[in-house]
Amino acid sequence: MESSMRRSLALLLILALCVPAGLASAQSGLRTEGDVASASGVYEAEVPVNSQSEADRNGALARALGAVLGKISGDRSAMTRPGVAQMLRNARDYVESYDYRQDQGTSSTGAPSFRTMLVARFRASDVDALVGALGLPVWPQPRPKPVVWLAIDDGSGPRLVSVQQTNAARPLLDRAIERGYRLGLPGGGAAEQALVGAIWRQDVATVARASSRYAPPMQLIGKLYRAQGGSGWVADWIFVDGGRELARWSTREGDARRAMAGGADGAADALVKRYAKAEALGAHGVYRVAVSGIRSADDYLRLSAALQALPVVKTIVPVKASGDMLELDLELATGLPGFNRMLGDNGVLVPASAPSTLDGEPVPVPSGSRAEYRIR
């Protein structure tokens, strides 16, 4: 009996050691019955996945990290920016934990349908460093929660969507969460119900005055109606911040839910344009660096390992060795300022001197020159 128990414990230990090192502690097993895995924070995302295999998981983690970068920057095209696609291949290196959820729905034929979702949570400090290295804009936290003044006319006259009709506005509210912020709905009292006419004629001043009881003083004003001829839906939107109109746009879709969701995208784009900030961290390219302090094969191996571990480094080409100095051509997904950001405070490689500045801004290394570092 005792021998059997020892064999069982040994088998469990072996199985535990066989879990890939990078994700050994990533998958959460602490949820109790009734809990549902979901993504709620800026550093979390959920994406559909075909299976729970490692190959499908790695691809899903890349898409989830791309969604997180979109939330942090507010840029819906963040994944198309230079260097981002290469970084996403290393998404598993940024994972804090992950889990799966099974969603049940109904197909077009009425039969039950199931979809597996991967819910990933990423380490905030590592993602912030990645965002900085890539030069992505950062949409500061905490983020505002604008009030949506939406009127819908399905053919029987326009009606206000208030908190009592939250489910009707679900596509709009969910899309805002996907973009990294939240929208609120008005209480829907009699006085607010009477605002439908002002919303429909897009009377910004009247709606803004009625919205003064809510904070912040931001309004997303929209009207959703059937397109002429009954082919699809149209939504007209205005986004107002502190009484100032920031954006005006329309979305036309065959499905009312997609037309509605376009309001969250337009509001996010307007907020990002006004409030997000980005550092100039240089462009993708090949940069010449000189590293001093290499006095042994061990130093060289430490340098090589440190460079290969940096996701911004794409290729490493030794050029020349002289004394304790080695010159390298590094292909970087970002410029040298972004490369320096990824080195960290306790890395193997450190700049040989403080970066030159002009009026507080980094001075770029001229083409044909080299940046100097030393090995710690």
Side-chain angles (χ1 to χ4, degrees):
M1 177 83 145
E2 187 176 337
S3 175
S4 175
M5 289 180 63
R6 282 199 299 269
R7 285 197 300 270
S8 297
L9 289 172
L11 178 59
L12 287 173
L13 179 60
I14 291 170
L15 291 174
L17 293 175
C18 287
V19 177
L23 295 177
S25 60
Q27 187 167 11
S28 171
L30 300 179
R31 290 191 294 113
T32 59
E33 185 176 358
D35 288 345
V36 177
S38 63
S40 56
V42 174
Y43 297 94
E44 303 174 7
E46 53 187 62
V47 294
V49 64
N50 292 328
S51 73
Q52 296 187 23
S53 69
E54 183 177 1
D56 284 341
R57 180 171 61 245
N58 288 338
L61 288 173
R63 287 184 282 119
L65 180 56
V68 166
L69 295 180
K71 284 184 182 183
I72 293 172
S73 66
D75 183 358
R76 61 172 123 176
S77 60
M79 286 193 290
T80 66
R81 285 180 172 247
V84 173
Q86 295 94 319
M87 299 297 190
L88 296 184
R89 297 171 190 158
N90 303 312
R92 59 179 288 162
D93 296 336
Y94 299 88
V95 174
E96 182 177 89
S97 65
Y98 70 91
D99 214 328
Y100 292 97
R101 186 183 74 238
Q102 193 83 351
D103 290 346
Q104 181 176 351
T106 304
S107 69
S108 57
T109 63
S113 63
F114 299 91
R115 183 173 66 165
T116 301
M117 302 292 293
L118 180 139
V119 181
R121 304 164 193 87
F122 297 91
R123 291 187 299 275
S125 58
D126 290 349
V127 174
D128 287 344
L130 180 61
V131 168
L134 291 169
L136 293 175
V138 175
W139 186 5
Q141 301 269 10
R143 294 174 183 174
K145 185 179 181 180
V147 178
V148 180
W149 295 91
L150 173 64
I152 300 177
D153 185 358
D154 59 2
S156 57
R159 290 166 293 175
L160 178 71
V161 178
S162 65
V163 290
Q164 288 78 23
Q165 295 84 39
T166 297
N167 285 338
R170 183 55 56 196
L172 175 66
L173 304 178
D174 286 349
R175 181 56 181 158
I177 293 173
E178 290 174 7
R179 291 295 302 272
Y181 73 114
R182 291 181 180 273
L183 291 168
L185 293 170
E192 293 179 345
Q193 294 290 342
L195 285 174
V196 168
I199 295 171
W200 208 256
R201 64 178 179 270
Q202 298 185 310
D203 184 345
V204 171
T206 298
V207 175
R209 283 195 300 271
S211 190
S212 60
R213 59 180 291 219
Y214 300 106
M218 294 180 181
Q219 299 89 39
L220 174 59
I221 304 169
K223 59 179 184 179
L224 178 67
Y225 53 94
R226 291 188 183 276
Q228 192 171 8
S231 58
W233 292 78
V234 178
D236 299 326
W237 304 96
I238 301 174
F239 187 74
V240 180
D241 182 359
R244 175 185 172 189
E245 182 180 314
L246 294 189
R248 183 185 290 253
W249 70 100
S250 295
T251 52
R252 178 169 184 156
E253 297 283 351
D255 186 276
R257 293 168 297 182
R258 290 197 299 271
M260 191 186 299
D265 281 326
D269 292 344
L271 286 167
V272 168
K273 184 176 180 180
R274 185 167 189 180
Y275 295 108
K277 305 295 181 184
E279 292 185 56
L281 296 177
H284 168 272
V286 176
Y287 294 84
R288 177 69 56 85
V289 301
V291 183
S292 61
I294 301 177
R295 299 181 176 86
S296 66
D298 180 63
D299 288 338
Y300 175 79
L301 291 174
R302 287 195 303 119
L303 171 63
S304 178
L307 291 174
Q308 292 180 52
L310 295 175
V312 294
V313 178
K314 311 320 298 177
T315 61
I316 307 169
V317 179
V319 176
K320 183 172 64 175
S322 177
D324 71 344
M325 181 171 289
L326 175 66
E327 291 191 21
L328 305 162
D329 278 347
L330 302 181
E331 181 188 357
L332 305 178
T334 180
L336 285 171
F339 172 72
N340 291 339
R341 178 75 63 86
M342 292 295 288
L343 294 178
D345 296 330
N346 301 306
V348 172
L349 197 63
V350 294
S353 60
S356 300
T357 61
L358 179 64
D359 296 331
E361 295 297 326
V363 176
V365 177
S367 177
S369 65
R370 68 184 188 183
E372 296 188 356
Y373 297 83
R374 59 181 174 81
I375 192 168
R376 194 191 300 270

